């Protein structure tokens, strides 16, 4: 195997092993030794590729978010169904949500790779702003940003906090038929949320 392919393969193995470890234990509880063992390499390789456990964690988050954005795609004209797509993606990929929750617990303030992530969200806000429409560009951007945050919150809460879902609904999304029913309700709520005020009253 050419050296370049070997390096890429080793890095991919480390990222995959690290994603499992960080999702399960977070930044503080993850162990470099377990990551190296699962990847089948020495601990020194981790520091050689990434420099530190924290930088490896940042690389894992970055890779997971890139995959997430690719799978989800940009906001669509049907913003309610977009909320359904967010719900579907996190139900199928709960590991990403766990990584994001660990990240929120670990970092107090700025995040690694914050600028490109902010730019990505600004692009999503711009797309939503066009879909929502407004006479004022400033008002439209502000409304779109708040709407994006609300759509994400609505869509991910049942997966992020299954215990709250069970306590409130008396069941979980994993119950027979529960996932489809809950998704449909989230889409209906999102549709009301993004509807013009005159439509929301009917």
């Amino acid at each position: 195997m050419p050296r370049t392919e070997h390096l890429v393969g080793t890095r991919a193995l480390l990222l995959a092993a690290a994603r499992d470890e960080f999702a399960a234990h977070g930044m503080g509880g993850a162990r470099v030794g377990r990551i190296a063992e699962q990847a089948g390499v020495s601990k020194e390789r981790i520091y050689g590729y990434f420099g530190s456990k924290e930088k490896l964690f940042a690389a894992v988050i970055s890779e997971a978010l890139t995959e997430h954005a690719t799978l989800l795609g940009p906001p669509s004209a049907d913003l309610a169904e977009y909320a359904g797509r967010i719900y579907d993606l996190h139900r199928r990929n709960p590991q990403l949500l766990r990584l994001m929750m660990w990240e929120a617990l670990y970092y107090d303030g700025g995040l690694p790779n914050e600028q490109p992530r902010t730019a990505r969200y600004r692009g999503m806000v711009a797309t939503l702003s066009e879909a929502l429409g407004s006479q004022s560009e400033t008002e439209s951007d502000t409304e779109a940003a708040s709407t994006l945050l609300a759509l994400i919150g609505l869509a991910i809460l049942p997966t992020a906090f299954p215990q709250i879902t069970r306590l409130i609904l008396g069941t979980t999304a994993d119950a027979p038929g529960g996932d489809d029913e809950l998704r449909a309700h989230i889409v209906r709520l999102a549709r009301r949320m993004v509807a013009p005020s005159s439509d929301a009253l009917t």
Side-chain angles (χ1 to χ4, degrees), residues 76-156:
S76 60
D78 188 343
L79 299 181
E81 186 55 36
Y82 181 65
R85 283 163 48 198
I86 296 172
Y87 175 81
D88 291 340
L89 183 59
H90 284 287
R91 289 289 296 154
R92 291 193 299 264
N93 302 278
Q95 193 181 62
L96 172 63
L97 199 50
R98 287 196 295 270
L99 287 168
M100 297 294 289
M101 294 171 77
W102 282 120
E103 180 188 52
L105 289 170
Y106 181 72
Y107 290 105
D108 182 16
L111 300 170
N113 304 315
E114 183 159 334
Q115 288 186 336
R117 289 171 65 175
T118 299
R120 180 180 294 163
Y121 280 118
R122 283 178 179 165
M124 295 170 69
V125 167
T127 302
L128 272 176
S129 182
E130 291 179 11
L132 291 169
S134 175
Q135 292 182 342
S136 167
E137 183 175 336
T138 302
E139 287 181 8
S140 182
D141 286 347
T142 301
E143 180 185 3
S146 298
T147 299
L148 176 62
L149 186 62
L151 287 173
I152 292 172
L154 181 65
I156 70 172

Side-chain angles (χ1 to χ4, degrees), residues 144-184:
S146 298
T147 299
L148 176 62
L149 186 62
L151 287 173
I152 292 172
L154 181 65
I156 70 172
L157 190 142
T159 304
F161 300 102
Q163 76 279 26
I164 295 178
T165 302
R166 180 179 58 80
L167 291 170
I168 293 175
L169 299 181
T171 184
T172 67
D174 294 319
D179 192 43
D180 291 341
E181 184 177 341
L182 186 54
R183 184 196 191 279

Side-chain angles (χ1 to χ4, degrees), residues 32-48:
V32 171
R34 286 197 296 255
I35 295 170
E37 183 178 359
Q38 185 174 336
V41 301
S42 66
K43 288 195 296 185
E44 288 71 21
R45 284 291 185 90
I46 293 176
Y47 296 110

